[in-house]
Amino acid sequence: MRAPEERRSGLSAVSEIFNRAKEALRNGDYDRAIADFIAVTERHPNNPVVYANRGIAYFRKGENRSAAADLERALALEHPDPSGVHTILSTVYGAMEDHLRAISEADHALRLDPRRAEAYFNRGCGYACLGELNRAVEDFSGAIRIDPRSARAYFNRGTIYNQRGDFDRAIADFDEVLRLDPGNVNAHCNRGFAHTKRGDFEAAVADFDRALAIDPSNADALINRGIAHFSRGDHRRAFEDYTRAIDLKPDRSRGYFIRGSAYLAAGDPERAREDFSRVIEIEPENVEAYVNRGNIRSMSGDHCGALEDLARAVALAPDNARAYYIRGIVYGIVERYDSAKNDLLRAVELSPENGSAHYLLGQIYEHLGEAEAARSCFERARSLGRSEAGEHLDDGGDSGR
């Protein structure tokens, strides 16, 4: 048996190693911290605080499985702050994209301590990743109630409001983010997006200007500012922004797609076709690029090329109503009326409120000599706002009732 002095000396040495490990953890020297925590566990294998700290070091190093194992061990050894450990575990499982376990750990934390803002935040992230947006908003709101200075809780809630189309609330949340963190580029961009959707293009441009003043190489901010410029009729500045974004990120498809869409809207289909072709080179499964290029090819008289693009779009996305609609038009142009009928039937099945598809389907039925089917389509088209469909009805526009 060791003498008391020896035991005290041993305890002092272990304490020194433990303190050194915590200092290394604070300073970001995770390898040193882990090595020292291992040395402590060799002498004290049942100390939950050591396992919890080592778990944090593993997590910050990016070794999530080792982190989870240590944190679970800390709980099994009855850590004095189990709510805190469950909260950290929820963070770790979230990083591992195991969102159900992340939510479960946050639940445990909140049952033990309902004032854990971090646990609300983590659970909200888990719900958001699973598409449970109502629950996510509730949890981010819970985090904000406990910690009104949580910029990231406001940010995440504002992002969900943007996704829902609740742009006024989104703007209010991003206002709070920027009050707490004025240099947050993403908050400026997201608030600018909300302003664009509300039609306040001046405010949108101002937000993207601020974002770009902080991060001049932010390609997404340039693209989104370009969208705002285009929406308010300043096409020159819009194309300048799109092109600058492409120069910064030439291997990203988004800039080409947005610029191509703008060229098409501005009446320059050839440049639009070039941009959509570039999108397809970068992202060969981009359905909308095939649909748009197919539409342009058809307008230029290249119906074979159009049908090739649209066939590819349908193969990639069998439920894409627009692809069937445009291919139905092309089949009608080349007088393949049965194929046109089939595509337009699929288009109206997928998008029943598309009055133009009903109208064109009525015209195809006329070519096929199917008068009753044509009449039904024209009546439906007129009810959806296509008033010219009335010219095809026997009574010159009356519904016939």
Side-chain angles (χ1 to χ4, degrees):
M1 177 179 288
R2 290 186 299 171
E5 290 79 5
E6 290 180 273
R7 289 198 297 274
R8 281 195 296 272
S9 175
L11 288 171
S12 177
V14 171
S15 179
E16 183 179 334
I17 296 170
F18 180 67
N19 289 333
R20 187 175 68 195
K22 289 198 296 182
E23 182 67 18
L25 179 58
R26 282 192 293 270
N27 293 334
D29 188 351
Y30 304 127
D31 288 327
R32 176 62 180 272
I34 290 166
D36 280 344
F37 286 132
I38 288 172
V40 176
T41 59
E42 288 172 351
R43 300 190 191 187
H44 294 278
N46 296 315
N47 188 318
V49 175
V50 178
Y51 283 104
N53 278 279
R54 191 174 71 181
I56 293 169
Y58 276 128
F59 172 64
R60 291 182 182 171
K61 191 184 175 188
E63 297 184 17
N64 294 327
R65 293 191 182 280
S66 296
D70 269 357
L71 292 162
E72 296 281 8
R73 177 69 173 152
L75 288 169
L77 293 169
E78 298 184 353
H79 191 282
D81 180 15
S83 176
V85 178
H86 281 297
T87 299
I88 298 167
L89 259 175
S90 71
T91 304
V92 173
Y93 284 127
M96 295 168 68
E97 298 187 5
D98 189 344
H99 303 303
L100 291 175
R101 291 188 75 176
I103 290 167
S104 176
E105 292 298 332
D107 283 341
H108 279 298
L110 289 166
R111 280 196 293 270
L112 293 165
D113 180 3
R115 298 290 298 170
R116 287 268 178 187
E118 184 80 7
Y120 276 111
F121 178 83
N122 288 350
R123 193 171 67 179
C125 291
Y127 281 133
C129 290
L130 294 175
E132 296 278 353
L133 299 187
N134 289 338
R135 287 182 170 182
V137 166
E138 288 175 7
D139 275 344
F140 292 135
S141 298
I144 290 165
R145 281 194 300 273
I146 297 165
D147 180 9
R149 296 188 60 78
S150 178
R152 59 186 188 152
Y154 282 111
F155 182 91
N156 284 9
R157 191 175 68 177
T159 300
I160 292 174
Y161 285 143
N162 261 350
Q163 292 172 349
R164 286 176 164 180
D166 192 346
F167 301 118
D168 289 337
R169 285 183 175 172
I171 289 167
D173 272 356
F174 293 124
D175 286 346
E176 285 300 309
V177 176
L178 291 165
R179 182 179 66 82
L180 295 163
D181 181 12
N184 191 313
V185 171
N186 290 330
H188 280 298
C189 289
N190 285 6
R191 190 173 68 180
F193 172 85
H195 282 309
T196 300
K197 289 296 186 178
R198 289 181 71 249
D200 190 348
F201 304 121
E202 296 293 334
V205 168
D207 260 332
F208 295 126
D209 284 346
R210 294 186 193 103
L212 288 162
I214 300 165
D215 180 9
S217 62
N218 191 311
D220 285 324
L222 282 164
I223 291 170
N224 289 335
R225 187 174 69 178
I227 291 170
H229 280 314
F230 195 89
S231 298
R232 66 176 181 170
D234 192 342
H235 292 184
R236 179 183 63 80
R237 287 185 179 175
F239 285 114
E240 286 175 358
D241 277 349
Y242 299 146
T243 301
R244 187 176 158 204
I246 289 169
D247 290 341
L248 286 167
K249 302 284 186 181
D251 294 326
R252 286 184 60 194
S253 64
R254 182 172 182 246
Y256 294 102
F257 187 91
I258 297 296
R259 190 176 68 178
S261 300
Y263 277 135
L264 188 57
D268 193 343
E270 181 55 31
R271 284 184 173 175
R273 185 191 61 77
E274 291 173 1
D275 273 349
F276 291 129
S277 294
R278 182 67 179 128
V279 172
I280 290 167
E281 288 175 17
I282 297 168
E283 191 181 347
E285 296 190 354
N286 189 308
V287 173
E288 291 304 320
Y290 283 108
V291 174
N292 288 347
R293 191 175 71 175
N295 189 29
I296 293 167
R297 283 178 161 177
S298 175
M299 290 189 297
S300 67
D302 180 10
H303 303 307
C304 289
L307 290 172
E308 287 177 5
D309 276 345
L310 294 162
R312 180 63 176 153
V314 167
L316 288 168
D319 292 333
N320 189 301
R322 185 165 171 258
Y324 287 105
Y325 171 65
I326 294 174
R327 193 172 68 172
I329 294 172
V330 179
Y331 278 137
I333 292 170
V334 299
E335 300 182 0
R336 291 173 59 180
Y337 297 126
D338 284 325
S339 296
K341 180 181 78 171
N342 291 335
D343 270 0
L344 291 168
L345 281 169
R346 182 67 173 143
V348 299
E349 177 189 356
L350 293 167
S351 182
E353 303 304 307
N354 184 339
S356 295
H358 286 284
Y359 179 71
L360 290 171
L361 183 56
Q363 291 182 309
I364 296 300
Y365 276 128
E366 281 189 332
H367 282 291
L368 292 171
E370 299 182 37
E372 288 303 314
R375 181 179 182 82
S376 176
C377 287
F378 289 133
E379 287 177 344
R380 180 65 174 144
R382 187 171 62 177
S383 74
L384 291 169
R386 290 298 300 260
S387 58
E388 66 272 34
E391 298 172 8
H392 294 262
L393 298 172
D394 293 340
D395 52 15
D398 195 354
S399 66
R401 286 179 294 178

